[in-house]
Amino acid sequence: MALINQVENQNSPLDFPIHITVFSDRRAMNIKAGPLSMREFAARISEKKSDCKNELRHLKLGRFSGERTARGSYRHNAGHLAVSGIEGDYDAGTMSVSDAVRALKRAKVGALIYTTPSHQKDGKGERWRVLCPLSEEVSPAERMHLAARVNGVLGGVLSAESFTASQSYAFGAIVGQMDPEVHLVDGRFLGQCNDLDKHAIGKPERERSDPAPMVDMSDDSWKVARAARMLECSAERLSETVSERNNALCKEAYLAGGLLANCLVTREDVMELFLPAIAENGYLADHAGNDEREVERIIDTQLAAGVREPFDPAGDELDFDDDEPEHSDMSIAELLGSSGGSLKAELSEISLLESASSLEGVEVPSREWMVPDLIPHRTVTILGGDGGTGKSLLALQLAVATATGGDWIGRSVARPGPVVLISAEDERDELHRRMASVCEAGGVPFTDLSHLFFRSLAGEGAILAELDRRTGKMAPTKLFKTLTAAVRDLSPSLVILDTLADLHSGDQNDQSHARQFITLLRGLCVHHGCTVLLLAHPSLTGITTGTGTGGSMAWNNSVRSRLYIRRVKENSQEADPDARLLETMKSNYGKVGGEIRLRWKAGTFHPYTAEDDSEVQYRAEKVFLKLLSKMDDQDRRVSHKPGANYAPKLFSGQPEAKGTTKRMLQMAMEAMLSDQRLEIAEEGPPSKRRQHLRQGSFGFD
């Protein structure tokens, strides 16, 4: 044990400098440390004010190595080197600060007590923390019995997390709230109080039959985020469960009820994660006949039972160190240390509903987008388009923009990052050629595409979900599981699948087949935090009607967003063969009916510009004047007024029009009349004058 540097004549524990480590917040991404006495620390507790509880600094009486975890945290068990004092946390609400001070005085234990921001707030009662300095540092392994001494002095009221070795504790003042109360108790160093061992009380153990109280923890963003991760891990394990799937579902849903009880997750969160998981492991098809309502009933029953055992993800049953792996595969059951045999399936009378008034003052979560207002994040979007319209090229441009952090057709990519692209239509050489065009247009070298991962499956088996002809149900193939493993390893922001017809062996007109396939893909999104863009061909009806739909309407109904790229035609004529229109046909989170005009140039699509409009108009004007000259040579007069010899109508039917529409020719005529490149001439006797169009004196450039 290392002797702490003692200042001469400072015999009181309150004036004795000990090593204190201060972290910037709970995550401990920044660290400061040094010697400080309890009296000096008491004067500094409120010197810095924070806007909210989650921004408060955290303290630890001890030393840390200064080594970070993979996530950049300085606070973790492996880095905890020595203990210079004992911290205790009290949040049960009934023991007052004054009672704690009196107990410490009777035991003659030197200590500092300060209240937390939740003290006496919203009926929560007394909440405080106690700090007891040591005269010499001890190892973290010796901390447990010293914490038991403090707990014994206080009558066993300290929370179980007080016994966690590297647990840190928030301190400080909140803007707009009263500063915390601070009390100093002079006495002995805790390490010298061997007489207290006979009354020591260790870590409290809660009986399973004595449930903890339900607490609304929705205002603690850290706990909400940790609960969300626990739920994701639980869903991942469900998706990989191949035996006793019903028991696994009941167990995970029951334990998720503990998070629900403390308002850390919602029923919708559980359903959104668990339904794709049990579809992936085959339970939905095998045990529920693809009836999601039956599965929801099972989950609801277990959630209702589980709320009787509320769970705090940072509380008394688990040390949530920041060195926990980011992609832990632990289930809720393992995190809680629960036994499956203790679970009860009976329906609880506790309501699953909450009052909307509880949302007062809670920050509204922002909508997550891959491309704002076009492609939402963490779900499936379908990009439809007839063969040859360019949907694959458009998707490839999005892939390059996402992998490099660039723009896509004039839009910013909100979540740049790795991309996985699977093409069942284009061979590798064709993908290479298209990538080269996209890179050249954007000035991007191939060396910048290290985060774009692609595979051509043209001519190979590309089925991701296979129809079991005996049961009529869709099941993930080995290829889908391989893709899932790649997504898990690469953590892409975007997954592009081209195209639906090559990846799905079911009946595209069957509603259940469509829904099951989209559910599998949504599972990728939910489990791995990515966006899936699924390319699809519309049916003949979808092309004719301009809706871009194909097969069962379940394809449209199952996704949250659907885009459609088409050629621009008028009366079956294509005025500009390089023009495209990208339309938002469905958007659960944004505006439907939006249009983006695109034009193909040098191998890629670009947003329409004034220059493009000028080019199209220039071509229409050339066609108009050429046909006007032809009519003049044939001594046929055309007019600027609607009628039998209306120029735009007559010209649009001529072979030389080359798809230039009546509307384009009309606009060209008006523009040339305006700047006198066309003029209206008259001929015939005075009694019967007739007007016709002819080239103006300014000619045509």
Side-chain angles (χ1 to χ4, degrees):
M1 294 182 293
L3 183 66
I4 296 178
N5 296 325
Q6 185 171 353
V7 178
E8 188 176 355
N9 297 324
Q10 292 182 336
N11 297 319
S12 170
L14 301 180
D15 297 308
F16 186 79
I18 65 173
H19 198 91
I20 298 180
T21 300
V22 176
F23 304 107
S24 56
D25 55 26
R26 186 199 297 267
R27 297 180 303 155
M29 310 298 277
N30 293 290
I31 186 173
K32 290 184 179 180
L36 205 64
S37 71
M38 290 292 98
R39 202 178 301 278
E40 291 171 325
F41 180 71
R44 298 186 182 184
I45 284 182
S46 301
E47 67 179 1
K48 180 181 178 181
K49 295 183 183 293
S50 302
D51 291 329
C52 65
K53 183 171 63 176
N54 290 327
E55 295 179 3
L56 288 173
R57 293 173 294 171
H58 276 233
L59 70 91
K60 189 66 185 171
L61 305 184
R63 296 179 186 269
F64 285 79
S65 66
E67 297 180 358
R68 294 189 181 209
T69 66
R71 289 192 288 170
S73 176
Y74 288 102
R75 184 182 65 82
H76 53 99
N77 284 341
H80 190 200
L81 302 180
V83 175
S84 61
I86 302 300
E87 316 90 348
D89 181 67
Y90 175 75
D91 57 11
T94 57
M95 185 176 188
S96 69
V97 176
S98 298
D99 288 342
V101 169
R102 281 192 290 270
L104 290 164
K105 283 183 177 179
R106 284 195 301 268
K108 299 179 181 179
V109 175
L112 179 153
I113 295 182
Y114 68 92
T115 57
T116 72
S118 300
H119 179 66
Q120 300 290 5
K121 298 292 183 182
D122 302 324
K124 294 179 179 178
E126 303 277 335
R127 298 198 171 197
W128 43 263
R129 286 174 183 140
V130 58
L131 309 178
C132 298
L134 301 176
S135 60
E136 57 184 8
E137 292 180 348
V138 300
S139 71
E142 298 177 79
R143 185 183 182 281
M144 185 75 76
H145 84 272
L146 292 173
R149 283 184 183 178
V150 182
N151 197 28
V153 169
L154 296 170
V157 300
L158 295 182
S159 66
E161 63 192 275
S162 303
F163 293 82
T164 299
S166 61
Q167 178 74 42
S168 63
Y169 298 89
F171 70 94
I174 302 292
V175 175
Q177 295 186 18
M178 295 290 291
D179 288 352
E181 296 180 28
V182 180
H183 300 265
L184 292 170
V185 180
D186 207 351
R188 299 174 291 172
F189 286 103
L190 182 64
Q192 299 172 352
C193 300
N194 296 333
D195 57 301
L196 300 178
D197 285 342
K198 60 183 178 181
H199 300 296
I201 300 176
K203 180 179 178 180
E205 296 293 340
R206 179 172 64 83
E207 295 294 330
R208 301 296 291 185
S209 59
D210 183 23
M214 290 187 290
V215 180
D216 186 346
M217 299 178 179
S218 59
D219 61 339
D220 191 326
S221 60
W222 185 87
K223 290 183 180 180
V224 171
R226 183 57 63 95
R229 178 57 190 151
M230 291 171 64
L231 208 59
E232 289 174 0
C233 291
S234 185
E236 289 173 10
R237 289 182 62 84
L238 276 177
S239 68
E240 297 170 359
T241 300
V242 295
S243 62
E244 297 186 356
R245 291 169 292 183
N246 187 70
N247 289 340
L249 175 61
C250 290
K251 181 172 69 173
E252 299 295 355
Y254 180 91
L255 293 167
L259 300 173
L260 180 67
N262 285 340
C263 302
L264 293 165
V265 301
T266 67
R267 175 187 181 275
E268 289 70 28
D269 294 332
V270 177
M271 294 300 179
E272 186 175 2
L273 286 166
F274 281 18
L275 289 177
I278 55 93
E280 185 173 343
N281 71 17
Y283 177 88
L284 179 63
D286 297 342
H287 292 267
N290 286 306
D291 186 352
E292 289 190 354
R293 292 172 299 179
E294 171 61 18
V295 177
E296 289 183 8
R297 185 194 64 78
I298 295 172
I299 295 174
D300 281 334
T301 299
Q302 298 303 322
L303 286 175
V307 295
R308 293 188 297 178
E309 295 201 38
F311 178 64
D312 180 353
D316 59 351
E317 298 185 39
L318 181 67
D319 175 18
F320 276 90
D321 283 329
D322 283 293
D323 58 350
E324 179 191 359
E326 179 72 20
H327 298 290
S328 168
D329 60 355
M330 298 177 72
S331 69
I332 292 179
E334 291 172 313
L335 288 171
L336 278 137
S338 303
S339 170
S342 66
L343 300 180
K344 299 177 182 179
E346 64 269 22
L347 181 63
S348 169
E349 295 181 358
I350 300 176
S351 173
L352 293 176
L353 304 178
E354 63 174 315
S355 170
S357 63
S358 65
L359 301 178
E360 173 65 28
V362 179
E363 182 179 355
V364 179
S366 59
R367 176 72 61 196
E368 293 184 299
W369 293 95
M370 187 70 205
V371 179
D373 300 323
L374 285 180
I375 303 177
H377 183 49
R378 289 173 62 91
T379 191
V380 183
T381 291
I382 286 182
L383 171 59
D386 194 14
T389 55
K391 61 183 178 296
S392 298
L393 174 60
L394 194 61
L396 184 56
Q397 288 183 234
L398 176 59
V400 172
T402 302
T404 60
D407 289 342
W408 179 61
I409 57 173
R411 265 65 176 174
S412 62
V413 176
R415 293 187 172 274
V419 179
V420 171
L421 187 152
I422 303 295
S423 175
E425 283 201 331
D426 295 320
E427 296 181 354
R428 185 178 184 278
D429 288 349
E430 179 59 24
L431 291 174
H432 187 178
R433 284 188 288 269
R434 291 188 176 186
M435 281 188 215
S437 297
V438 174
C439 288
E440 182 179 359
V444 177
F446 273 101
T447 52
D448 286 357
L449 298 184
S450 59
H451 290 144
L452 173 51
F453 304 92
F454 72 100
R455 173 65 189 271
S456 169
L457 293 175
E460 303 180 36
I463 300 299
L464 297 179
E466 197 165 31
L467 177 63
D468 187 332
R469 300 294 177 181
R470 295 171 300 174
T471 64
K473 311 302 181 186
M474 302 298 300
T477 63
K478 182 178 179 180
L479 177 61
F480 181 84
K481 295 177 181 178
T482 302
L483 173 62
T484 300
V487 170
R488 182 181 63 242
D489 294 340
L490 298 172
S491 298
S493 294
L494 176 66
V495 176
I496 297 175
L497 303 174
D498 185 13
T499 62
L500 171 62
D502 299 295
L503 306 174
H504 173 266
S505 68
D507 184 351
Q508 291 197 40
N509 294 309
D510 188 294
Q511 180 175 341
S512 64
H513 294 177
R515 185 170 179 81
Q516 290 173 55
F517 186 68
I518 295 298
T519 298
L520 284 177
L521 298 185
R522 188 177 295 119
L524 278 180
C525 302
V526 174
H527 296 158
H528 305 289
C530 63
T531 298
V532 169
L533 183 66
L534 175 63
L535 277 57
H537 295 292
S539 64
L540 181 60
T541 301
I543 296 173
T544 304
T545 61
T547 61
T549 55
S552 167
M553 282 304 296
W555 295 109
N556 180 76
N557 296 337
S558 298
V559 297
R560 297 294 180 263
S561 173
R562 184 169 66 85
L563 305 176
Y564 182 46
I565 183 172
R566 63 178 178 85
R567 296 180 179 275
V568 181
K569 294 183 178 181
E570 183 178 327
N571 297 326
S572 300
Q573 291 186 322
E574 197 171 5
D576 183 359
D578 295 331
R580 301 289 188 276
L581 195 63
L582 181 64
E583 299 176 283
T584 304
M585 308 306 293
K586 177 184 179 180
S587 177
N588 281 26
Y589 311 132
K591 181 180 179 182
V592 177
E595 297 180 347
I596 300 175
R597 297 173 66 201
L598 302 173
R599 198 154 189 267
W600 185 88
K601 293 180 184 178
T604 58
F605 287 113
H606 301 265
Y608 232 79
T609 64
E611 182 179 338
D612 293 319
D613 283 329
S614 298
E615 181 180 335
V616 172
Q617 181 174 331
Y618 175 80
R619 186 166 64 243
E621 290 173 357
K622 287 189 66 174
V623 169
F624 191 101
L625 292 174
K626 180 178 181 180
L627 288 170
L628 180 61
S629 177
K630 172 184 175 181
M631 294 293 181
D632 285 342
D633 291 343
Q634 296 174 353
D635 201 26
R636 298 167 63 188
R637 301 291 183 256
V638 294
S639 173
H640 65 294
K641 294 181 179 180
N645 61 342
Y646 184 49
K649 180 179 180 180
L650 289 175
F651 291 175
S652 64
Q654 298 295 312
E656 294 88 345
K658 298 180 180 178
T660 306
T661 66
K662 172 184 172 182
R663 181 172 176 273
M664 295 299 302
L665 292 168
Q666 182 180 2
M667 293 174 63
M669 179 184 72
E670 296 296 339
M672 290 188 288
L673 282 171
S674 178
D675 60 19
Q676 299 181 12
R677 284 179 288 156
L678 287 179
E679 60 184 21
I680 301 171
E682 290 187 353
E683 62 181 9
S687 60
K688 197 175 182 180
R689 303 289 287 175
R690 293 181 178 177
Q691 294 181 330
H692 66 91
L693 283 173
R694 69 182 183 189
Q695 289 195 37
S697 57
F698 288 91
F700 179 75
D701 183 7

